[in-house]
Every structure is written in structure tokens, then in C-alpha cells.
């Protein structure tokens, strides 16, 4: 029998291990820094941070929680995509199958639904925190703007997901929501001044959103693509910009007086 | 079951209950830290975090991030085990539910439909909310309160933002979720929804108060004067006030900033004003034009 240190030693001297983890971790200043910038995920962070940036009471970790909610949604969302067809003949029964056929389908769907509600809640609280600490002031004006767009995208992500189960709830929520598009001044057929542009129910904003004059198969496909591809892509890019700018603007804001 | 318990335990509404709890908690925490810093500032002492030292990211920060992720993951998992996401009947375009509600985070906007026509409530005001949020860093020229919680140093910006966020956004969402039933009528959460209930609320237009038909030419002109003087008067009054009492502020702001701030502010305040007009005086429109009504 070999002792535990001997086994660890053997594993760590192994060629494969050494190719993955370049060096041992020895809790020295150098290794603590290396742990951060030697790791693609951790190197989002600076090597050193101000003490109160780590304290929960300043940021509440709320931006990080928003990111984490987003990651959970991407993972559960990708798994859901394996079981789902965006067509009005199959969408609803696919969700029923998730409930009754797919192993852990109920939990999967629940995690995605509650995770989405959760992300909307925490992104609003994150904005409130940033406001209350005055962190939108110079030099962080631009990053606040990026954040505002991310807030809108978070709403739109959830909104486009509403239709996908093709049940009464989603159908009518989307109907109510997109009817607002019909009221757009100039560009919606019920909006003020639209008659001067010859806008009808067949060429207005609402039509463009739905791919038709009513919520139907095209609307389902459009919301699906916005929901699963287009908006997550844009949101991911903007999050990269957002995190990059947090660093470039000097890290979490500190008292400037 | 007690209708109150029923409405707050509907699966999707649990999220709203969680939101109310979380938002209240963080609101108290933010203001508590703000007042604490205010006391330090008043005493001429450094605020929280001012004399910070640097510490290694690894492990303190990484550890706390991992912990938060675990707590969130456990919380969401428990939530998902306890509560099942509902699936209603298959979509049926011929069967309109009553009430037909938008997703919960848009219910504040849907609530505005009681007071404004759809082009304002559904398009113009939401766009202005986004524009207003984007404008905040550029119109708030107060350099104080950057990077720490404080109330005393930025009273007005916090009061205005909080009014918009807590009252006009969050409170209206809560009203939309818990207090609106069939026909978008008001129901207390402990009241049973009654689908046959009709409330006949005789509404009138502003000019009817002085006996003038709102769709007539005189009605149109009076309406235009009222709306015009709200907008123009609202733009000029603060200018005159500051000119007299704080001319320095006006120079600092400059014209573009001044106009943006005041325009956004009076637009925001038109919401509570229109609510009072509608709820207290039963007034539907202030001004009716051939193209739109306000
Ligand atoms: C998908 C949405 C978002 C994600 C994932 C996100 C993520 C983050 C993270 C991780 C941070 C680091 C500090 C912290 O945790 O508080 C941060 C900071 C920041 N966020 Fe966001 N955020 C989002 C939306 C927003 C929104 C809606 C706003 C404002 C309207 C905003 C404005 C800012 C600003 C100005 C900072 C710098 C704060 C400081 O230096 O103290 N972000 N964000």
C-alpha cells in the first residue's frame, strides 16, 4: 500500500498532469498571482483587489450573480434545445414530453424558468447597487450605458422565451406585448401619423416582429431564434465588453473625493 | 383556499414575492450604509473603503465567488424541486384569457395603459426610460458620492431615481401582478375574481369640467394650451427659480443638460399627475387631437 502523499506525488509528476497544471501551487505571492493570470476564467480578475471590493456589503456580488444566472440559463437552455422543435405542431407536445417522458425534464424546465425570473430580479438589483454607490460617475459612464443595454437584453431574452412553450400564457403575453408595436408612432398601423406613411397591419413594426399579422408559426420561429441565438450572442459580447471595462476603468469603484 | 394565499403562491407569482423580499432587503442595506457613511462624512472621517489596502484575489475573492455560486445554485435547485413551472392549455387564438397579462416585468408598462394611450404607454415612455437611464451619467454632474454609499451628498438624484425605480417601476409591477383582475379591474388580493363584474366609471375629458366638448375646436385649443403650458412652463419654471436662487448651477449644467434633465423629469412626473387626474378626478384625456390623445 502506498501512502496518500506518495500517490499524490506520483499523480503530480505524471506527464499528463503536468501538461494541464503547469506548476505546483505553493501559497506564495508568486503562486497566488499565477493562479489568477494563469487561468483563463480567473484572469477576468486582477491579481490583487481592494479589500472592500471583496466585502459583500459593497457590491453584494450582484453583477457576478447575474452572470452566474446567465450561465445557468445557457446550460439548461442548451439541454432544453435537444428536446424542442420550434413549430406550432410540436412545441407544446415537446414541453409535455419534458414533463412526462424526459428524465429530469421537469427539473430542467423549472431551473430554466425560475433561473430566468431570478436573472431579471438580480439584474435590476445590480443596477440599483451601481446607482446607489454612484459607480456610474466618471470614468464609468460608458460601462453604465453598456449595462443599460444589457438590462434591456435581459428583459428581451425572457420575453422572447415566453412564447416558446406555445401555451395560452405565452401566446397572450406575446400578443399583448407585440400589440404595443402596432401603436408605434409613424411605424405601427395604429400609431399616430402612420397613415401618412401608408402603414397597414401588413407592413408595420408588429408585422416585422411577428413575421405575420398574427402570432403564428413565423412568430414562434422568430422568437425562438432571437431567444436561443441572436440575443444571447449579443448579450455575451456586451458582457465581455462590460467586464473588460470594469477592469479598464480601474476595477470596482472606490471612494473618490 | 384563501384567495390571498392562492395568488401569492401561484408558481409564477412566487418570483414576484421573492423579488419584493430581495428588493426590500437590499434597499434597506443600501440606505443603512448610506446613512452610516453620511455620519462619517459629517464627522469629517473617511467613509467605508476609503483607506483600503490591496489583498490577493486568490483565494479570498475566488472563495467568496464560489460560495455565492453554490448558494445560488442550491437556492435555484430547491426552488425547482418545490415548485413546478406551469404549462397552460395549448395556445388558442380564439380564446382570449381575461385578464391577458404581459410578462411580469412589463406589467408596470401595462398598468400605464390605464392612464395613457398605447403609443405613449407602450412605445414612447419605455423608450424614454431607456434613454433616461443612458443619460444619467452625463446629466448628473455632481462629482460627490462616487464609489461609496451616501445619501446626504446626492439627495436629489437618489430621491428621483428611487421614485422612478421603486414606485413607478416596481410598485406598478406589484399592482399589476396582485391587484389586477378580469377587465383590468382592481381586486384586493383577498377578493375573489368575478368575471361578470363590470364597473361603469363615467370618465370625462378635462375640458368637460368647464362644459366644453373636448372634441370641438375650443376643446382642442384649451387642451393644447394646458399640455403646452405644462411642457413649456415645466421647462421654464425651474430655470427662473435657479436663475434667482442658484445661478451657478445653471452655468455648470449648460443648456443641453438643463433641457434634457427637465424634459425627462417633467415627462416622468406626468405619470403620477395623469394617475391622479384619472383616479381622483375621473379624467381620461387632457387633449384630443385628430391624430392622438393625451
Ligand atoms: C447581464 C447583465 C449584467 C451583468 C452580467 C453584469 C455584470 C457585472 C459585474 C460582474 C460587475 C462587477 C462588480 C459587481 O459585481 O457589481 C459589474 C459592474 C458594473 N456594472 Fe454590471 N452587469 C450587468 C448589467 C448592468 C446594468 C443593468 C448596469 C447599469 C445600468 C450595469 C452597470 C455596471 C457598472 C457601472 C459597473 C461598475 C461598478 C463599479 O465599478 O462599482 N451593469 N457588472
Amino acid at each position: 500500500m502506498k501512502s496518500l502523499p506518495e500517490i499524490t506525488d506520483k499523480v503530480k509528476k505524471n506527464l499528463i498532469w503536468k501538461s494541464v497544471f503547469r506548476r505546483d501551487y505553493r501559497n506564495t505571492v508568486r503562486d497566488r498571482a499565477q493562479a489568477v493570470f494563469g487561468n483563463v476564467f480567473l484572469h477576468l480578475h486582477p491579481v490583487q483587489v481592494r479589500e472592500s471590493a471583496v466585502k459583500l456589503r459593497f457590491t453584494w456580488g450582484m453583477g457576478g450573480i447575474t452572470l452566474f444566472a446567465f450561465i445557468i440559463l445557457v446550460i439548461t437552455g442548451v439541454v432544453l434545445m435537444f428536446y424542442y422543435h420550434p413549430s406550432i405542431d410540436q412545441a407544446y407536445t415537446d414541453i409535455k414530453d419534458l414533463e412526462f417522458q424526459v428524465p429530469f425534464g421537469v427539473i430542467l424546465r423549472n431551473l430554466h424558468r425560475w433561473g430566468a425570473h431570478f436573472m431579471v430580479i438580480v439584474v435590476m438589483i445590480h443596477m440599483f447597487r451601481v446607482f446607489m454607490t454612484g459607480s456610474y460617475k466618471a470614468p464609468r459612464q460608458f460601462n453604465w450605458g453598456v449595462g443599460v443595454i444589457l438590462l434591456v437584453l435581459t428583459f428581451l431574452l425572457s420575453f422572447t422565451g415566453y412564447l416558446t412553450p406555445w401555451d395560452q400564457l405565452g401566446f397572450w403575453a406575446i400578443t399583448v406585448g407585440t400589440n404595443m408595436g402596432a401603436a408605434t408612432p409613424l411605424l405601427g398601423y395604429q400609431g399616430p401619423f402612420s397613415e401618412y406613411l401608408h402603414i397597414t397591419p401588413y407592413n408595420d413594426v408588429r408585422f416585422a416582429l411577428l413575421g405575420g399579422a398574427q402570432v403564428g408559426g413565423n412568430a414562434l420561429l422568430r422568437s425562438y431564434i432571437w431567444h436561443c441565438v441572436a440575443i444571447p450572442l449579443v448579450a455575451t459580447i456586451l458582457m465581455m465588453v462590460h467586464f473588460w471595462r470594469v477592469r479598464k476603468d480601474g476595477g470596482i469603484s472606490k471612494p473618490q473625493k | 383556499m384563501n384567495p390571498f394565499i392562492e395568488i401569492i403562491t401561484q408558481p409564477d407569482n412566487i418570483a414576484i414575492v421573492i423579488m419584493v423580499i430581495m428588493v426590500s432587503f437590499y434597499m434597506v442595506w443600501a440606505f443603512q450604509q448610506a446613512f452610516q457613511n453620511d455620519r462619517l462624512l459629517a464627522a469629517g472621517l473617511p467613509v467605508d473603503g476609503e483607506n483600503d489596502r490591496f489583498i490577493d484575489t486568490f483565494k479570498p475573492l475566488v472563495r467568496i465567488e464560489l460560495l455565492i455560486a453554490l448558494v445560488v445554485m442550491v437556492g435555484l435547485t430547491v426552488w425547482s424541486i418545490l415548485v413546478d413551472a406551469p404549462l397552460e392549455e395549448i395556445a388558442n387564438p380564439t380564446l382570449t384569457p381575461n385578464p391577458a397579462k404581459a410578462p411580469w416585468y412589463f406589467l408596470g408598462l401595462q398598468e400605464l395603459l390605464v392612464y395613457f394611450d398605447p403609443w405613449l404607454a407602450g412605445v414612447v415612455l419605455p423608450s424614454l426610460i431607456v434613454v433616461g437611464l443612458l443619460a444619467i451619467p452625463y446629466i448628473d454632474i455632481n462629482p460627490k458620492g462616487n464609489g461609496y454609499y451616501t445619501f446626504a451628498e446626492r439627495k436629489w438624484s437618489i430621491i428621483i431615481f428611487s421614485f422612478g425605480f421603486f414606485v413607478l417601476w416596481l410598485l406598478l409591477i406589484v399592482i399589476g401582478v396582485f391587484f389586477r383582475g378580469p377587465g383590468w379591474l382592481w381586486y384586493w388580493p383577498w377578493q375573489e375574481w368575478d368575471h361578470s363584474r363590470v364597473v361603469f366609471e363615467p370618465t370625462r375629458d378635462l375640458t368637460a369640467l368647464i362644459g366644453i366638448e373636448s372634441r370641438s375646436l375650443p376643446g382642442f385649443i384649451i387642451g393644447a394650451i394646458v399640455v403646452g403650458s405644462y411642457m413649456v412652463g415645466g421647462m421654464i419654471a425651474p430655470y427662473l427659480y435657479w436663475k434667482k436662487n442658484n445661478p451657478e448651477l445653471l452655468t455648470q449644467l449648460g443648456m443641453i443638460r438643463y433641457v434634457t434633465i427637465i424634459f425627462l423629469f417633467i415627462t416622468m412626473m406626468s405619470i403620477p399627475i395623469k394617475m391622479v387626474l384619472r383616479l381622483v378626478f375621473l379624467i381620461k384625456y387632457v387633449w384630443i387631437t385628430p391624430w392622438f390623445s393625451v
Side-chain angles (χ1 to χ4, degrees):
Chain A
M1 275 297 275
K2 287 203 165 98
S3 68
L4 193 63
E6 272 174 339
I7 301 179
T8 357
D9 199 53
K10 259 232 143 49
V11 172
K12 285 193 169 174
K13 291 234 169 77
N14 181 295
L15 207 67
I16 302 176
W17 179 278
K18 281 204 284 192
S19 75
V20 179
F21 304 99
R22 298 192 143 179
R23 48 169 65 77
D24 239 5
Y25 178 75
R26 266 180 268 95
N27 204 15
T28 60
V29 176
R30 188 163 178 283
D31 279 10
R32 286 197 296 269
Q34 177 66 30
V36 173
F37 60 68
N39 179 303
V40 64
F41 302 107
L42 292 183
H43 98 283
L44 264 177
H45 302 110
V47 166
Q48 289 205 317
V49 281
R50 284 177 330 98
E51 199 173 10
S52 61
V54 179
K55 293 270 162 54
L56 215 45
R57 63 172 180 267
F58 190 71
T59 67
W60 312 330
M62 228 15 112
I65 295 178
T66 312
L67 171 66
F68 188 61
F70 181 74
I71 294 171
I72 293 177
L73 288 167
V74 171
I75 295 172
T76 51
V78 167
V79 183
L80 282 171
M81 284 171 84
F82 286 120
Y83 296 101
Y84 178 83
H85 304 78
S87 84
I88 51 181
D89 296 328
Q90 294 177 68
Y92 186 75
T93 46
D94 284 345
I95 307 292
K96 279 271 184 235
D97 276 352
L98 224 40
E99 256 175 63
F100 297 110
Q101 301 292 334
V102 179
F104 301 108
V106 176
I107 280 271
L108 181 64
R109 177 160 179 257
N110 290 350
L111 269 177
H112 198 72
R113 168 73 78 87
W114 307 142
H117 285 343
F118 183 71
M119 180 170 172
V120 172
I121 297 170
V122 290
V123 75
M124 296 192 303
I125 299 178
H126 170 57
M127 177 179 81
F128 173 63
R129 183 298 278 183
V130 173
F131 184 87
M132 287 302 288
T133 55
S135 303
Y136 57 84
K137 301 188 178 200
R140 296 181 178 78
Q141 303 99 321
F142 175 73
N143 216 15
W144 167 271
V146 175
V148 173
I149 307 296
L150 279 169
L151 175 77
V152 175
L153 289 181
T154 306
F155 290 141
L156 290 182
L157 268 173
S158 172
F159 184 66
T160 50
Y162 245 70
L163 188 60
T164 47
W166 200 249
D167 67 344
Q168 280 287 73
L169 182 77
F171 183 90
W172 288 100
I174 296 297
T175 304
V176 172
T178 49
N179 273 344
M180 293 300 116
T184 313
L186 292 171
L187 297 177
Y189 80 97
Q190 289 169 335
F193 306 114
S194 62
E195 59 269 27
Y196 301 114
L197 296 181
H198 306 290
I199 296 290
T200 70
Y202 300 95
N203 64 3
D204 72 339
V205 178
R206 185 165 168 278
F207 191 93
L209 292 173
L210 295 178
Q214 266 125 35
V215 180
N218 285 352
L220 180 58
L221 184 62
R222 279 184 193 206
S223 67
Y224 173 77
I225 295 173
W226 282 116
H227 184 70
C228 303
V229 185
I231 305 178
L233 202 69
V234 178
T236 306
I237 294 171
L238 283 179
M239 280 184 213
M240 283 158 51
V241 177
H242 196 59
F243 303 150
W244 173 257
R245 283 301 288 243
V246 171
R247 290 285 301 275
K248 293 294 140 179
D249 293 339
I252 303 301
S253 55
K254 59 170 172 289
Q256 279 173 8
K257 294 200 290 173
Chain B
M1 207 189 336
N2 177 328
F4 178 63
I5 306 285
E6 202 171 334
I7 196 164
I8 62 167
T9 52
Q10 266 175 30
D12 277 305
N13 290 353
I14 290 174
I16 322 301
V17 175
I18 291 178
M19 175 187 86
V20 170
I21 294 169
M22 283 183 72
V23 165
S24 316
F25 174 81
Y26 286 108
M27 180 183 80
V28 170
W29 203 5
F31 278 98
Q32 183 243 322
Q33 293 190 68
F35 294 141
Q36 194 175 325
N37 276 342
D38 287 349
R39 279 191 294 274
L40 292 172
L41 286 165
L45 296 168
V47 294
D48 187 24
E50 199 168 333
N51 297 327
D52 256 0
R53 57 192 181 101
F54 276 86
I55 56 174
D56 286 324
T57 304
F58 197 84
K59 296 171 184 172
L61 180 59
V62 177
R63 187 194 291 128
I64 204 164
E65 285 173 346
L66 191 72
L67 272 174
I68 292 176
L70 274 174
V71 170
V72 171
M73 196 64 238
V74 169
L76 279 178
T77 310
V78 170
W79 188 358
S80 300
I81 290 172
L82 294 182
V83 191
D84 282 346
L87 182 66
E88 296 191 0
E89 297 293 301
I90 191 166
N92 182 350
T94 59
L95 193 76
T96 315
N98 186 5
K101 290 189 181 180
W104 62 268
Y105 38 82
F106 288 154
L107 283 187
L109 300 174
Q110 196 173 356
E111 178 70 16
L112 292 185
L113 284 171
V114 178
Y115 314 100
F116 293 95
D117 278 356
W119 67 279
L120 273 173
V123 185
V124 174
L125 292 175
S127 311
L128 285 177
I129 295 175
V130 176
V131 170
L133 285 176
L134 287 171
I136 286 176
Y138 305 99
I139 55 185
D140 177 3
I141 53 168
N142 176 5
K144 289 196 187 141
N146 184 348
Y148 50 97
Y149 292 94
T150 166
F151 178 71
E153 292 190 335
R154 34 196 295 255
K155 272 196 209 81
W156 286 106
S157 62
I158 289 181
I159 289 173
I160 295 170
F161 182 88
S162 299
F163 180 67
F165 185 61
F166 292 113
V167 180
L168 296 182
W169 185 256
L170 295 174
L171 184 65
L172 290 194
I173 289 177
V174 170
I175 288 177
V177 174
F178 296 120
F179 297 87
R180 290 298 185 181
W184 211 255
L185 295 176
W186 184 278
Y187 283 86
W188 295 102
W190 51 88
Q191 267 179 318
E192 214 70 71
W193 281 9
D194 174 2
H195 284 265
S196 57
R197 176 177 154 208
V198 253
V199 174
F200 181 67
E201 259 188 334
T203 57
R204 52 205 165 170
D205 298 329
L206 182 71
T207 52
L209 290 186
I210 47 170
I212 292 173
E213 168 56 37
S214 55
R215 282 163 208 278
S216 65
L217 185 63
F220 171 83
I221 295 172
I222 295 173
I225 293 175
V226 173
V227 173
S229 35
Y230 175 69
M231 295 304 279
V232 176
M235 296 299 287
I236 295 174
Y239 183 85
L240 296 179
Y241 177 80
W242 279 333
K243 186 108 206 154
K244 188 150 166 275
N245 296 300
N246 195 351
E248 205 175 311
L249 179 69
L250 280 180
T251 358
Q252 276 170 3
L253 281 176
M255 212 47 183
I256 297 177
R257 234 187 243 116
Y258 172 83
V259 170
T260 317
I261 294 175
I262 302 299
F263 171 74
L264 289 170
F265 182 71
I266 56 182
T267 312
M268 174 166 149
M269 291 317 287
S270 72
I271 295 170
I273 290 175
K274 202 71 204 293
M275 290 174 128
V276 170
L277 285 180
R278 177 73 174 69
L279 297 176
V280 181
F281 300 100
L282 299 177
I283 287 169
K284 185 155 172 61
Y285 290 123
V286 175
W287 182 30
I288 295 189
T289 79
W291 309 276
F292 59 85
S293 307
V294 202

